[in-house]
């Protein structure tokens, strides 16, 4: 058995290395560049319009899920422990220059997010509870006519987000609370199951309501603390920005002639951190985007809103973590501090011992909201496969079981399997949205032309003959 597990682990490691170190990095960045070029830089031209839509996104759902709730649900999944531990690891391996490449990845990823979220809205289907379902599995089937590929995507997502990543998030929470407060991991697991179960059994609407409350609160608290730290060290900001830009393109040597951060590591880790964090192109956030009743009533509206999600996740929250670490002076080549320990040490160095407790609480909030949002993605894709709610009770129990197991067990093998599953779903999704890009661009043009004419954009499916018989008439009357 140990030999078989060894072979399986070697297979997973090789597959992940191939996908994430070579194929997906170039494909994700290349797709983002193409979408940016073809859309004429929609993420720059419509930057102000994104905020305008979000300000007016909390109503008009008529009992369904609002655009704001869809945004906070996608942010709940995006904004997780990676925003603290992942950024710290990127800095540890790649140095300050990694932050520059993280920013570049997010800027390109905003255009990718617009395309996949607009497509998710376009091909969404109505649900019995006045909400909608949709995402890559749906636009792969309806847009490309390949249901079999949609099912493969849905299975990969259920494995990665619905089960494995939830175990990993629970593991992070239990570790942080055990370190900060000495709470036994099994007790953390029981507590997580107890508070997760009501949200999970409440379904997608319950997840959306919870995310709508928790995500803004946790994000604002974290940003407030980061701002305090930056103000305390404002004199160091010029040196920090200089290090970020200079080390993005040139290697650094440290005292004693020891090799510092290599440019290749800065590029690789910055890009990977950006991709893992904002999930643009992965095919996860479109599952949340599809659930919204948009305001205005046009698929492109949710595309704009979800672009803002990428901006908030990477260019705001990940940058806040980087600022906390870089101004603290705790980042040094060869240091044993890395990951979440580096973030905790950096905050403690600036604000005192309560910083470690704050990070533990932040980890709990970030990971918990990721956990419930990940579940919602799994639920939507299970319903896509079965066509109804068959197996939903079993899936919910499996998710809760995975939360408990993740809190008390070492899940390295499962984490690697999840990474491979997520890599496969990203590969499938990117190919699909590249093929469906003309539809997304036509919708963008239609939305912008109506705005230019002084109209409130309204989607008229009869203006898109290529979508005939591909749209749910109940979703787009």
């Amino acid at each position: 058995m140990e030999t078989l597990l060894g072979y399986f682990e070697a297979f997973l490691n090789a597959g992940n290395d191939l996908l994430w170190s070579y194929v997906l990095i170039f494909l994700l960045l290349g797709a983002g560049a193409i979408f940016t070029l073809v859309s004429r830089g929609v993420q720059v031209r419509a930057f102000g319009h994104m905020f305008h839509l979000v300000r007016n996104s909390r109503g008009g759902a008529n009992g369904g899920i609002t655009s704001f709730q869809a945004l906070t649900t996608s942010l709940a999944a995006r904004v997780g422990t990676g925003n603290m531990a992942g950024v710290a690891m990127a800095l540890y391996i790649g140095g300050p220059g990694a932050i520059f490449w993280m920013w570049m990845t997010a800027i390109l990823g905003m255009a990718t997010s617009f395309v996949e979220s607009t497509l998710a809205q376009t091909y969404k289907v109505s649900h019995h509870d006045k909400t909608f379902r949709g995402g890559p599995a749906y636009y792969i089937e309806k847009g490309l006519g390949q249901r079999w590929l949609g099912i493969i995507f849905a299975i990969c997502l259920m494995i990665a987000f619905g089960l494995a990543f939830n175990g990993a998030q629970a593991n992070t929470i239990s570790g942080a609370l055990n370190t900060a407060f000495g709470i036994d991991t099994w007790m953390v697991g029981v507590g997580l199951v107890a508070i997760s179960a009501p949200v999970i059994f409440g379904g997608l609407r319950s997840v959306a309501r919870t995310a709508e409350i928790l995500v803004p609160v946790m994000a604002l608290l974290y940003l407030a603390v980061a701002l305090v730290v930056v103000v305390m060290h404002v004199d160091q900001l010029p040196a920090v920005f200089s290090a970020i830009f200079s080390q993005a393109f040139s290697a650094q040597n440290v005292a004693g002639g020891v090799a510092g951060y290599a440019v290749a590591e800065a590029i690789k880790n910055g890009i990977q951190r950006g991709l893992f964090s904002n999930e643009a192109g992965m095919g996860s956030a479109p599952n949340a985007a599809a659930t919204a009743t948009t305001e205005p009533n046009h698929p492109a509206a949710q595309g704009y809103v979800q672009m803002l999600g990428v901006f908030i996740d990477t260019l705001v929250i990940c940058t806040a973590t980087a600022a906390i670490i870089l101004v603290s002076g705790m980042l040094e080549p060869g240091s044993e501090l890395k990951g979440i320990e580096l973030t905790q040490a950096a905050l403690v160095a600036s604000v005192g011992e309560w910083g470690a407790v704050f990070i533990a609480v932040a980890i709990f909030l970030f990971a918990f909201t990721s956990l419930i949002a990940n579940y919602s993605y799994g639920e939507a894709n299970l319903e896509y496969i079965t066509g109804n709610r068959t197996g939903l009770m079993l899936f919910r129990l499996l998710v809760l079981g995975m939360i408990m197991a993740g809190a008390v067990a070492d899940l390295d093998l499962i984490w690697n399997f999840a990474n491979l599953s997520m890599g496969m779903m990203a590969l499938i999704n990117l190919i699909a949205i590249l093929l469906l890009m003309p539809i997304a661009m036509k919708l963008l043009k239609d939305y912008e032309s109506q705005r230019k004419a002084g109209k409130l954009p309204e989607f008229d499916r009869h203006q898109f003959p290529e979508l005939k018989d591909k749209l749910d008439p109940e979703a787009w009357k």
Side-chain angles (χ1 to χ4, degrees):
M1 180 61 71
E2 288 185 8
T3 302
L4 288 176
L5 286 175
Y7 283 129
F8 184 56
E9 188 170 8
F11 167 76
L12 292 178
N13 289 335
N16 280 321
D17 185 56
L18 175 65
L19 273 176
W20 291 107
S21 297
Y22 301 99
V23 177
L24 284 177
I25 280 184
F26 294 107
L27 188 55
L28 282 161
L29 289 179
I34 291 171
F35 297 142
T36 299
L37 184 64
V38 174
S39 69
R40 297 177 295 116
V42 64
Q43 66 270 57
V44 178
R45 293 188 297 106
F47 189 75
H49 187 56
M50 293 188 301
F51 290 92
H52 170 76
L53 288 177
V54 170
R55 282 197 301 269
N56 300 282
S57 64
R58 303 193 68 175
N62 297 319
I65 293 175
T66 67
S67 285
F68 184 75
Q69 288 175 327
L71 171 63
T72 53
T73 300
S74 69
L75 274 172
R78 286 182 172 121
V79 180
T81 55
N83 292 77
M84 291 180 284
V87 171
M89 188 59 74
L91 284 167
Y92 175 80
I93 300 173
I99 302 305
F100 173 85
W101 295 107
M102 184 182 73
W103 291 339
M104 293 302 102
T105 302
I107 291 170
L108 293 177
M110 289 173 72
T112 303
S113 184
F114 174 86
V115 172
E116 61 182 356
S117 297
T118 298
L119 290 171
Q121 267 288 312
T122 304
Y123 294 100
K124 68 184 181 182
V125 299
S126 59
H127 201 254
H128 64 85
D129 60 357
K130 294 185 180 181
T131 64
F132 301 100
R133 298 291 185 272
Y138 292 82
Y139 56 68
I140 288 169
E141 176 182 350
K142 292 177 175 293
L144 300 178
Q146 305 296 325
R147 176 168 169 78
W148 67 272
L149 191 58
I151 290 175
I152 291 175
F153 175 90
I155 291 171
C156 288
L157 186 142
M158 288 172 61
I159 292 171
F161 283 82
L163 298 174
F165 286 166
N166 278 342
Q169 295 289 356
N171 190 267
T172 302
I173 292 173
S174 66
L177 295 184
N178 179 262
T179 300
F181 306 109
I183 304 173
D184 289 341
T185 55
W186 72 267
M187 293 179 65
V188 177
V190 171
L192 280 175
V193 169
I195 63 175
S196 301
V199 181
I200 286 175
F201 279 93
L204 266 63
R205 187 183 278 109
S206 176
V207 171
R209 286 197 298 262
T210 305
E212 182 181 26
I213 297 170
L214 286 181
V215 170
V217 171
M218 73 180 191
L220 289 173
L221 280 174
Y222 189 67
L223 292 176
V225 171
L227 183 61
V228 169
V229 172
V230 168
V231 170
M232 290 172 61
H233 301 280
V234 68
D235 59 310
Q236 297 183 31
L237 286 183
V240 165
F241 280 104
S242 176
I244 288 173
F245 286 102
S246 64
Q247 293 182 40
F249 301 97
S250 62
Q252 176 202 33
N253 287 327
V254 296
V258 179
Y261 304 110
V263 178
E265 289 298 329
I267 295 173
K268 177 182 175 182
N269 283 277
I271 290 173
Q272 283 184 334
R273 179 65 262 138
L275 296 177
F276 273 116
S277 181
N278 62 57
E279 299 179 11
M282 299 287 187
S284 51
N287 293 275
T291 63
T293 301
T294 59
E295 183 66 33
N297 189 35
H298 195 288
Q302 187 61 201
Y304 288 111
V305 170
Q306 291 297 332
M307 276 203 305
L308 186 59
V310 176
F311 175 82
I312 292 171
D313 172 84
T314 306
L315 291 170
V316 177
I317 297 178
C318 284
T319 300
T321 299
I324 290 171
I325 294 170
L326 291 175
V327 300
S328 71
M330 299 298 292
L331 180 67
E332 295 182 3
S335 170
E336 293 184 359
L337 287 173
K338 57 184 179 180
I340 197 63
E341 293 85 2
L342 175 57
T343 307
Q344 286 179 310
L347 191 56
V348 167
S350 294
V351 302
E353 291 301 322
W354 69 267
V357 175
F358 176 81
I359 291 296
V361 173
I363 286 174
F364 173 81
L365 288 174
F366 281 28
F368 174 70
T369 54
S370 291
L371 189 153
I372 59 174
N374 289 343
Y375 160 76
S376 73
Y377 293 168
E379 177 184 309
N381 281 270
L382 175 63
E383 289 191 24
Y384 168 79
I385 294 172
T386 62
N388 50 48
R389 298 172 68 82
T390 301
L392 188 55
M393 178 63 71
L394 176 60
F395 180 67
R396 287 171 172 171
L397 293 175
L398 283 173
V399 170
L400 293 174
M402 198 66 187
I403 291 170
M404 186 66 212
V408 299
D410 183 1
L411 298 176
D412 285 347
L413 187 64
I414 295 176
W415 181 259
N416 286 338
F417 188 41
N419 280 338
L420 186 61
S421 296
M422 186 168 70
M424 290 301 299
M425 59 181 264
L427 185 62
I428 294 169
N429 181 60
L430 284 167
I431 293 171
I433 61 177
L434 283 167
L435 292 173
L436 293 170
M437 177 178 64
I439 297 294
M441 291 303 106
K442 187 173 180 180
L443 287 162
L444 171 62
K445 184 178 179 180
D446 177 62
Y447 185 96
E448 291 186 330
S449 64
Q450 291 188 58
R451 280 193 68 211
K452 201 170 184 179
K455 301 177 182 178
L456 182 68
E458 181 80 19
F459 178 57
D460 181 0
R461 59 194 180 93
H462 300 294
Q463 299 298 318
F464 294 81
E466 63 270 53
L467 295 178
K468 184 181 180 182
D469 301 326
K470 293 184 178 181
L471 303 185
D472 180 359
E474 291 299 314
W476 296 110
K477 293 183 180 180

